[in-house]
Amino acid sequence: MHFSTPNLSVVILAYRSGETLRGFIDALIHLLSREEPEWELVLVANHFSDDGDNTPEIAKELAKSNARIKAVTQIKKGMMGWDMRSGLEAATGKNLAIIDGDGQMPCEDVIRVYKKLINENLELAKTYRLSRDDGLYRKAISFIYNMIFKILFPGFMSKDINSKPKVMTREIYRQMDLHSDGWFVDAEIMIIARRMKLKMGELGTGFSCLVNRPSFVKVSSIFEFLGNLVRFRILEYGYCFRGKKRVLNIHNHEQEIFKHSRAR
């Protein structure tokens, strides 16, 4: 059976996932077929030219085997943010989920978070990592990063900015208008969610270690994260100022209308 507009599109970020992608997709299809029959998968296997990555071919094979699977296999013009945006643009569902395809995040979380979004009438739902098996280095980076985020963007109730899956409505994604090309895209989503005052919820999860490749998070990524956090904090002051100015202009306009109506 084919659904022209699926209830849920799952965007899988599969860069250099290799053969592990097959098992992840098989498990996810089995889960979705049982819990949400109106589904679509978008496998994002963008790659650098002549990098030897076989993930794009695997993604294409999976797409040929099932009409509900799309493969996005472009030559990369950016990193994770660019991949995420290219996958979200290809998705057609009423609700959009984003998850990594390397197996660190349980595919079952897609349904858990999706059901929370639907059952609680949320605009954005996600996980936070209660346990992590990816080593002290990654744990320390995540702790420091989340702490700095909370200092720079106070009052936002999120325990783990970068955790996935993230699930949002299509309308919210359209309004977000994401621009980040790199690793900062998760934080961009959460900063915009804070600005928009979205109705949001979180679920705890576990996070496994990588077994088939090293982590892509390098020391340079940390400085990129921190620099972008400061830059977005400065931009937020601009958004706040423009918002107050717009309210003031509306108020002044209403006062003028009221003045003229009394004069009559």
Side-chain angles (χ1 to χ4, degrees):
M1 188 181 299
H2 176 71
F3 298 92
S4 58
T5 305
N7 285 334
L8 178 63
S9 291
V10 185
V11 176
I12 298 100
L13 305 178
Y15 176 58
R16 300 197 75 88
S17 292
E19 290 293 336
T20 60
L21 183 62
R22 296 185 193 274
F24 185 84
I25 296 305
D26 285 344
L28 187 54
I29 289 174
H30 178 74
L31 182 68
L32 289 168
S33 298
R34 186 180 72 232
E35 301 289 346
E36 173 49 88
E38 301 180 31
W39 58 266
E40 167 189 73
L41 299 184
V42 180
L43 311 185
V44 184
N46 296 331
H47 60 103
F48 293 105
S49 180
D50 301 323
D51 65 356
D53 183 15
N54 65 342
T55 309
E57 295 307 314
I58 294 170
K60 290 175 185 176
E61 289 175 21
L62 291 167
K64 286 179 182 178
S65 71
N66 193 316
R68 296 197 193 187
I69 301 177
K70 297 178 180 178
V72 179
T73 58
Q74 304 174 54
I75 299 297
K76 286 173 73 69
K77 298 178 182 177
M79 294 306 291
M80 189 178 75
W82 189 81
D83 287 344
M84 185 187 294
R85 291 190 290 112
S86 66
L88 288 168
E89 285 301 309
T92 62
K94 299 172 186 174
N95 299 285
L96 308 172
I98 309 154
I99 189 169
D100 294 335
D102 55 17
Q104 283 193 282
M105 301 162 187
C107 65
E108 293 82 4
D109 283 349
V110 171
I111 287 297
R112 292 177 62 229
V113 177
Y114 171 62
K115 285 186 173 180
K116 185 174 182 67
L117 181 93
I118 298 301
N119 294 338
E120 299 180 21
N121 195 29
L122 302 175
E123 295 166 306
L124 173 68
K126 59 183 286 294
T127 60
Y128 63 93
R129 289 166 285 194
L130 279 168
S131 61
R132 300 183 61 141
D133 296 326
D134 55 342
L136 183 61
Y137 171 72
R138 289 289 301 274
K139 288 180 184 177
I141 290 173
S142 182
F143 175 79
I144 294 168
Y145 184 61
N146 280 289
M147 181 178 67
I148 293 173
F149 187 98
K150 290 174 183 177
I151 292 170
L152 292 177
F153 299 93
F156 187 57
M157 302 303 293
S158 179
K159 299 176 182 177
D160 190 351
I161 299 304
N162 285 348
S163 188
K164 299 185 191 73
K166 289 181 171 71
V167 185
M168 68 187 84
T169 65
R170 170 165 290 280
E171 178 60 21
I172 289 301
Y173 163 65
R174 187 190 64 79
Q175 292 178 38
M176 280 191 168
D177 189 26
L178 302 174
H179 287 90
S180 293
D181 280 343
W183 309 109
F184 193 71
V185 66
D186 278 303
E188 183 186 15
I189 290 172
M190 302 309 289
I191 290 168
I192 296 173
R194 175 182 181 269
R195 185 191 309 155
M196 294 171 67
K197 296 181 172 59
L198 296 186
K199 188 178 180 184
M200 191 190 82
E202 293 186 320
L203 289 170
T205 191
F207 194 62
S208 302
C209 64
L210 278 169
V211 295
N212 65 321
R213 62 166 176 80
S215 172
F216 294 133
V217 180
K218 308 299 182 185
V219 174
S220 59
S221 301
I222 301 169
F223 290 105
E224 178 191 341
F225 284 143
L226 297 179
N228 278 320
L229 280 178
V230 173
R231 183 169 66 88
F232 268 78
R233 176 65 269 181
I234 294 169
L235 288 173
E236 283 300 284
Y237 288 122
Y239 283 113
C240 181
F241 174 76
R242 285 196 294 272
K244 288 179 179 178
K245 187 176 180 180
R246 186 165 57 248
V247 170
L248 181 61
N249 288 339
I250 291 171
H251 175 71
N252 290 339
H253 180 64
E254 289 173 345
Q255 289 292 95
E256 286 295 318
I257 293 173
F258 178 69
K259 191 185 301 180
H260 287 304
S261 65
R262 289 193 65 181
R264 292 192 191 99

